[in-house]
Amino acid sequence: MTTRGKQTVRDLRRGSRSTLLRRLYFEGPLSRQELGTATGLSAGSISNVTGELLADGLIEECGSVDSDGGRPRILLRVVPDRAHLVGVDIGETQVRVGLFDLARTELAASDHPLDETGHDVGHVVDLITTGLTEVLARTGITAEEVLGVGVGVPGIVEQGAGPDAGDTAVVHGQTFDWNAVPLGRLLRARTPLPLFVDNGAKTLGQAEMWFGAGQGARNAVVALFGSGVGACVIADGARFRGATSSAGEWGHTKVHVGGRRCRCGSRGCLEAYVGAEALVERWADAPPGASEKAGLAALLAAAEAGRPGAVALLDEAAELLGAGIADLINLFNPERIVIGGWAGLMLGPRLLPAVRDAATAYALAFPRAQTTITLSRLGPDAVTLGAATLPLTHFLESGGELPRHATRAAG
Ligand SMILES: [Zn+2]
């Protein structure tokens, strides 16, 4: 048999494993019969492949359901603690490392604020390494039980292809002076775990589409509203990346030509008006020396108490966000827009009605009528979970391939 022939057989097998594993992961528990109906694979293939996945310890039997008069059908599911995932959120004000099982339960997390040192690259890499050590120590889980480390960054990610793509990741973060930072190479020197790197808004988008408010939509925009503002555009079920992965930099679309100076160096960007950092900067009564989160919470409290300066600032923010969302509606015709990020969730309950009204006022009527605007359901730390979906994606696409360091622990 030729090498090409063997390759094809192996590819087919891997494809079938991936198909069944994905079904069981997202829709399980399911019986073998249900898997057959859902995938169109033959009963013999289902039996072979589920047998392999059971033998590998990736799936398990978990009870049974009656089948009309016949033998009960055994249900299968992915084993939640067969492997673990690490998600890292390099945020604008903190570095957060979370350890999850395959069922996405966060087993431990480590938060380190970024204060005076800002985004000094060496410092950020130190914090990630420290966080990784902390979450493993706290749970007693070994590096061999971790599928990989996903890292969400507040910048544009350029990287090669293939299984070691994360090692080549270079980050362009114009708002905090990361100019072609070789983050993949720097992290590779500090951990043997497989690395996966992507933009934080895009990882949030993946998490929302798989597990949150985006579920079931084919065309959506997930907006990340924190210190800055970003977005992940999902077009026909896939994340839209553009020529070099930078698509979705919604925060730097212009709302005021020649307007306020933005962190990106340009003027009049949406982020320069509605990002949390900008809102706190622009509020004359901001408590001096407060963190951005405390400042924004104080702004919200002042608005709730009816103080005119705070009310006006948030009313304007709602109108600008609504206008920005109208642009997204006119450009991409999404069926759903999900607003996430810590600032989005903090301000969302107050701003959402006015944001929806402004979107209606500024968007074309026909696409606006097809779009719902909603808040994230995954909480303020969803970028960490989103980052953990990066190694999860690789695991599911590869048909449950465990990295070499992890197979040793299979036992
Ligand atoms: Zn900008």
Coordinates of all heavy atoms in Angstrom, one line a residue, residues 251-252 254 262-266 269 271, ligand 1:
G251 N -13.5 49.1 17.6 CA -13.2 50.2 18.5 C -12.5 51.4 17.8 O -12.5 52.5 18.3
H252 N -11.9 51.1 16.7 CA -11.1 52.2 16.0 C -11.8 52.6 14.7 O -11.2 53.2 13.8 CB -9.7 51.7 15.7 CG -9.0 51.3 17.0 ND1 -8.6 52.3 18.0 CD2 -8.8 50.1 17.6 CE1 -8.2 51.6 19.0 NE2 -8.3 50.3 18.8
K254 N -14.4 55.3 13.2 CA -14.5 56.8 13.5 C -16.0 57.2 13.8 O -16.9 56.9 13.0 CB -13.9 57.6 12.4 CG -12.5 57.3 12.0 CD -11.5 57.2 13.1 CE -10.2 56.5 12.7 NZ -9.7 55.5 13.6
C262 N -7.2 59.0 20.3 CA -7.4 57.6 20.8 C -6.0 57.0 21.2 O -5.0 57.5 20.7 CB -8.0 56.8 19.6 SG -8.3 55.1 20.0
R263 N -6.1 55.9 22.0 CA -4.9 55.2 22.4 C -4.1 54.7 21.1 O -2.9 54.4 21.2 CB -5.2 54.1 23.3 CG -5.9 54.5 24.6 CD -6.1 53.4 25.5 NE -6.9 52.3 24.9 CZ -7.1 51.2 25.5 NH1 -6.6 50.9 26.7 NH2 -7.9 50.3 24.9
C264 N -4.8 54.5 20.0 CA -4.2 53.9 18.8 C -3.3 55.0 18.1 O -2.6 54.7 17.2 CB -5.2 53.3 17.9 SG -6.2 54.5 17.0
G265 N -3.5 56.3 18.5 CA -2.7 57.3 17.9 C -3.6 58.2 16.9 O -3.2 59.3 16.6
S266 N -4.7 57.6 16.5 CA -5.6 58.3 15.6 C -6.6 59.2 16.4 O -6.4 59.3 17.6 CB -6.4 57.3 14.7 OG -7.2 58.0 13.8
C269 N -11.9 57.9 17.4 CA -12.4 56.5 17.4 C -13.5 56.2 18.4 O -13.6 56.9 19.4 CB -11.2 55.5 17.8 SG -9.8 55.6 16.7
E271 N -13.7 53.9 20.5 CA -13.1 53.6 21.8 C -12.7 54.8 22.6 O -12.7 54.8 23.8 CB -11.9 52.7 21.5 CG -11.0 52.3 22.7 CD -10.0 51.2 22.3 OE1 -10.3 50.2 21.7 OE2 -8.8 51.4 22.7
Ligands
ZN1 ZN -8.3 54.2 17.9

